[in-house]
Amino acid sequence: MIRPARPRKLAKVPFVELAEGRLQGVVSSGSDIERVYVSSVAAGTYAFACSTNNNRPCGGARGTFCNHIRALVTEAVLQYGPERVARYLKIETADGERDAASLAQSMTATRPPQADSSAAAAVFSRFLRHLAYLELAPATAPVPEMQWFPPTRAVA
């Protein structure tokens, strides 16, 4: 397990991951406490998508990155570090200090296309699955579905 580059607050972006060839995650709405946005940026092409948890399109993602996607990039840099995010998304930047703003600017400079939001359901489902673990009572017993590897002393 790789430690986060820096601690981050989970209120604005509670879920962020580099998976399935995308930076993807869940971003809280600034205006409605019951609404979240599922946002993603594809590696290489930077095709972006942003929609609400009930599949309504984001009003700000028209031709360029919306504030939700920018927040997602910022939190990904905090979680994984700028080098790892840039490497995963295949972002070519000028030498020097990389930060979330420069990564987002490098991606938007290519005028990326807007993607469909077909991956939003799977991303939101994974987010809900992660939330379910927070509801478990603290215990020292193993959680069966998290037992991906055999005990270290097992003989194969």
Side-chain angles (χ1 to χ4, degrees), residues 40-155:
S40 66
V41 178
T45 65
Y46 318 127
F48 62 95
C50 188
S51 61
T52 65
N53 50 319
N54 42 353
N55 292 329
R56 296 179 193 251
C58 171
R62 295 184 182 170
T64 189
F65 289 3
C66 61
N67 290 337
H68 307 112
I69 293 174
R70 292 182 188 283
L72 185 69
V73 171
T74 300
E75 293 300 315
V77 167
L78 287 175
Q79 179 76 27
Y80 300 109
E83 293 81 18
R84 185 171 176 198
V85 173
R87 186 173 54 248
Y88 188 84
L89 293 177
K90 302 174 184 160
I91 302 171
E92 298 292 330
T93 60
D95 291 335
E97 186 67 28
R98 288 183 176 169
D99 60 1
S102 67
L103 295 180
Q105 183 179 12
S106 295
M107 289 187 287
T108 57
T110 66
R111 297 185 183 256
Q114 193 160 352
D116 65 352
S117 59
S118 60
V123 174
F124 192 66
S125 177
R126 266 198 307 282
F127 167 63
L128 293 177
R129 185 116 177 121
H130 283 280
L131 285 181
Y133 292 118
L134 296 176
E135 296 176 356
L136 295 175
T140 57
V143 178
E145 61 192 38
M146 295 190 77
Q147 297 299 310
W148 301 316
F149 302 102
T152 57
R153 295 186 181 169
V155 177

